[in-house]
Amino acid sequence: MRLRALAKINLGLDVVRKREDGYHEVRMIMQTINMYDQLEIDIKEEPGISITTNLPFIPTNENNLVYKAAQLLMDEFKVKKGIIVDLQKFIPVAAGMAGGSSDAAAAMIGVNRLFGLGLTVRELMERSVKVGADVPYCLLRGTALAEGIGEKLRALPPCPDCYVLIGKPPVSVSTKFVYEKLDASEIAEHPEIDRMLEGLQWHNLNRIAEHMGNVLESVTIPAYPVIEEIKQHMKDHGAVNAMMSGSGPTVFGLFDDKATAEQACEALRETKIARTVFLTTVFNNGGRHR
C-alpha cells in the first residue's frame, strides 16, 4: 500500500496561555498543502516493524513516529504479523510543517486498512493524540481550527484556492526550544483568528491573509533573522502575505496569481537564502487518504 503524507502550514498560530501541566494552550488555523512524503507499507509474516528511509539521519526504530503510530494499533489489536515501511521524505525535517506527524497519520491509515481493523478516521484521531499533538489534524487534513494543545479540532470552510511558496532556510529549529523560550504572558500582539475565520467563511483570501499571524515568530526570528529576510522577499515579490509556519524555520507566502508566484519562486531560488524552495497549492480535498 502506498500513501501520501501531506505537509501542513499554519495560517494563524496563537498561544493563549501556558497550562499548569507545562503544555501551551493554542488556537491555530491549520491547512494542508500539496507537498508530501510517501509511505509504502507491506505485510511481512514475522512480527515487528521494519523501516527504511531515503534520509540517513532519520531514525528507523521506536524513535520514529511512524514506528510509534503503527505499534500503537498493532499492540491494541494484537496483530501477529509485521510490516515493512519504506518512507520517502520530501517534506523538510524540523521545519514546522508536521512532516513526522503526517507520516505517523499515514502509517495509522495503512495499518488500519492492511489488517482490516475497521476504525473510522475519527476513531484513529482519538488514538493518535498519544503519538503526537499534530497527528489528529494530519488524519483530518484540509482547513481546521485547532485548540487545546492542538488536539481539539473543528473542520472549517476550505481555504480559497491559491499558490503557496515554501522557503526553508538552511537551519533546523527545535519546537521544544521555541516553546521553552516563549513567555505566553508577555505576547504583545496576537493574531486575529476570529477575523481569519470570517475570511474563510466569506471565501476571501485577502481578508484571511490580512489577519495572518504567528506568535512563535517572536522567539524564532530573533534567533534566525533569515526567516524575516525570506518573509520580506516573498512580500516584495507579490505575496498577499508571508509568515513562518509552526515553530519554523519554514516560511510560506500566499499568492493569488500563478505567474507572480512562479516569478517569486525563481527569484527566491536565485538568492540562495533558502535551501528548500517549492511552489505548490493548498489541499482541500477531505475524505479518503491516498
Side-chain angles (χ1 to χ4, degrees):
M1 180 173 293
R2 189 173 293 159
L3 291 161
R4 292 177 176 179
L6 297 168
K8 67 84 184 165
I9 55 175
N10 299 88
L11 296 173
L13 194 163
D14 194 13
V15 174
V16 180
R17 66 184 179 97
K18 188 173 183 179
R19 307 192 317 186
E20 291 178 5
D21 60 8
Y23 285 97
H24 287 81
E25 195 161 299
V26 297
R27 200 158 183 249
M28 307 183 289
I29 296 177
M30 317 274 270
Q31 176 65 49
T32 36
I33 61 173
N34 283 302
M35 181 183 201
Y36 56 87
D37 294 340
Q38 188 166 280
L39 282 79
E40 193 167 294
I41 309 176
D42 293 305
I43 294 176
K44 61 174 182 170
E45 291 303 314
E46 313 80 39
I49 300 164
S50 301
I51 301 175
T52 57
T53 179
N54 61 324
L55 299 180
F57 57 86
I58 298 291
T60 55
N61 55 16
E62 62 276 4
N63 294 319
N64 191 308
L65 292 185
V66 167
Y67 193 109
K68 290 180 181 178
Q71 189 169 49
L72 181 76
L73 292 183
M74 293 168 76
D75 285 353
E76 179 184 349
F77 289 89
K78 298 178 172 56
V79 174
K80 301 299 183 190
K81 295 182 179 180
I83 57 170
I84 300 169
V85 182
D86 180 55
L87 171 60
Q88 295 295 307
K89 293 285 298 175
F90 303 105
I91 301 169
V93 177
M97 301 186 76
S101 296
S102 193
D103 296 340
M108 295 185 81
I109 292 287
V111 168
N112 186 46
R113 287 185 192 164
L114 281 173
F115 295 108
L117 306 184
L119 296 170
T120 64
V121 170
R122 184 59 60 178
E123 288 169 332
L124 289 172
M125 288 169 65
E126 289 167 1
R127 289 163 170 80
S128 70
V129 72
K130 296 173 187 173
V131 181
D134 277 345
V135 184
Y137 167 71
C138 293
L139 283 158
L140 178 65
R141 305 195 305 189
T143 315
L145 177 68
E147 297 178 292
I149 62 168
E151 87 289 5
K152 296 177 184 175
L153 296 163
R154 173 163 63 91
L156 298 172
C159 179
D161 290 339
C162 60
Y163 299 90
V164 183
L165 177 57
I166 299 296
K168 180 189 179 288
V171 295
S172 294
V173 173
S174 160
T175 300
K176 185 171 181 285
F177 159 79
V178 175
Y179 276 101
E180 283 178 350
K181 290 284 186 185
L182 181 75
D183 187 339
S185 64
E186 291 190 0
I187 297 172
E189 193 172 337
H190 292 267
E192 298 188 73
I193 301 292
D194 288 334
R195 295 286 185 91
M196 295 183 71
L197 295 176
E198 290 174 2
L200 287 164
Q201 195 69 47
W202 299 341
H203 209 64
N204 185 321
L205 181 64
N206 286 323
R207 186 170 181 85
I208 296 164
E210 180 186 352
H211 297 291
M212 278 167 40
N214 180 349
V215 296
L216 301 185
E217 289 185 344
S218 65
V219 174
T220 314
I221 287 177
Y224 304 98
V226 67
I227 295 169
E228 183 61 42
E229 195 178 342
I230 295 172
K231 279 180 59 179
Q232 194 57 52
H233 189 276
M234 290 184 181
K235 292 177 187 177
D236 290 344
H237 286 79
V240 291
N241 207 345
M243 192 175 81
M244 184 181 81
S245 183
S247 54
T250 301
V251 176
F252 68 91
L254 301 182
F255 293 80
D256 55 10
D257 176 74
K258 185 178 182 181
T260 304
E262 288 173 340
Q263 289 166 7
C265 180
E266 189 55 39
L268 184 59
R269 279 202 183 99
E270 289 174 1
T271 66
K272 302 194 185 320
I273 56 175
R275 175 177 290 168
T276 301
V277 179
F278 188 82
L279 181 60
T280 185
T281 55
V282 292
F283 176 92
N284 284 317
N285 298 335
R288 185 173 172 82
H289 285 246
R290 61 186 180 88

